[in-house]
Amino acid sequence: MNFITPLFLGFITAFIGIIPPGLINMTAAKVNLKEGKKNALWFVIGAVVIIFFQVFLAILFAKIINRRPDLVTLLREVGLGIFATLTVYFLWLAKKPKDKTKKFKKNSKTNRFFLGILLSGLNFFPIPYYVFVSITLASYKLFSFDMTSIFIFVNGVIIGSFSVFYCYIAFFNRIENKTDYVMKNMNTIIGSITGLISLITLLNIIKYYW
């Protein structure tokens, strides 16, 4: 069995999903600046623990969906409505993010570990993201839903997630100006991405029915 492909795909999909500045990676970077690398790494470990379970559950859910073509079609239609709504919201209705500098109090490694668990647990994006990713990869015969491939893929996601978080911790000082710009324009970026996904989903629905 080819172990490299699911490991590599897990790493790449995690890298793509986490590399944009978000709550978890930006918090990890700021914890590093205020409290040092050790506390930041404990925060990341807490976040990664939750990501492991989220991805594993997402792929098991995708495995069930993949057996039901009718459910895949239904999810595409529901997804089109959700992503279209998000596109309208982020491009035209959402308020522009404000530049706020959070102050961190000195905390123990244990506190930062559980903070990572909390923030990662509140982030539900990985579940639909990895459901979509795994079904898409499976449709191109790049991924199979056997338990070995699932565990290898999930481990690739964990390695990719930790790598991105570590890059934010290690190199945040060098990229801070760029991330500030991205954060200020985050609504436009997210709206553009959801708009593109909506268009692709719409084309797939049209192709399915016609």
Side-chain angles (χ1 to χ4, degrees):
M1 178 177 286
N2 183 6
F3 296 107
I4 301 299
T5 300
L7 186 69
F8 175 75
L9 290 173
F11 181 91
I12 291 298
T13 52
F15 194 91
I16 293 172
I18 297 177
I19 195 65
L23 177 62
I24 298 176
N25 45 28
M26 294 296 287
T27 302
K30 292 182 178 180
V31 169
N32 176 59
L33 291 177
K34 301 292 183 179
E35 302 178 13
K37 183 174 288 187
K38 288 185 179 180
N39 275 13
L41 287 176
W42 276 105
F43 171 83
V44 168
I45 292 171
V48 167
V49 167
I50 297 301
I51 291 174
F52 175 87
F53 291 106
Q54 287 177 326
V55 177
F56 187 72
L57 290 174
I59 295 177
L60 291 182
F61 184 54
K63 181 179 181 179
I64 297 172
I65 296 173
N66 196 55
R67 296 172 180 170
R68 295 279 305 274
D70 55 322
L71 286 180
V72 175
T73 304
L74 177 61
L75 285 175
R76 283 178 179 173
E77 295 172 354
V78 172
L80 174 61
I82 293 173
F83 284 117
T85 302
L86 289 174
T87 300
V88 172
Y89 173 77
F90 281 109
L91 290 181
W92 291 288
L93 301 178
K95 295 180 179 179
K96 187 176 180 180
K98 296 180 180 179
D99 185 17
K100 295 182 179 179
T101 303
K102 294 183 178 179
K103 295 182 179 180
F104 289 95
K105 297 179 180 179
K106 283 289 182 179
N107 283 278
S108 68
K109 298 173 185 176
T110 303
N111 287 342
R112 286 309 175 204
F113 174 77
F114 285 111
L115 177 63
I117 288 178
L118 176 62
L119 293 186
S120 188
L122 293 174
N123 178 27
F124 295 102
F125 171 75
I127 296 176
Y129 175 70
Y130 286 106
V131 168
F132 174 79
V133 165
S134 57
I135 289 177
T136 301
L137 292 175
S139 68
Y140 288 102
K141 309 300 181 183
L142 295 173
F143 178 74
S144 60
F145 288 102
D146 61 274
M147 291 306 297
T148 301
S149 296
I150 292 173
F151 273 111
I152 295 173
F153 182 87
V154 172
N155 279 298
V157 170
I158 296 305
I159 296 171
S161 301
F162 187 88
S163 298
V164 174
F165 291 144
Y166 187 83
C167 286
Y168 268 87
I169 292 172
F171 304 112
F172 182 74
N173 287 335
R174 300 180 185 179
I175 63 174
E176 186 171 7
N177 291 334
K178 294 181 181 180
T179 54
D180 285 344
Y181 172 81
V182 172
M183 290 299 289
K184 291 178 181 178
N185 294 276
M186 184 58 70
N187 289 342
T188 302
I189 294 171
I190 295 175
S192 300
I193 293 172
T194 55
L196 179 61
I197 295 174
S198 298
L199 180 60
I200 295 173
T201 305
L202 177 61
L203 292 176
N204 286 330
I205 292 173
I206 292 175
K207 184 179 178 180
Y208 175 81
Y209 285 110
W210 283 279

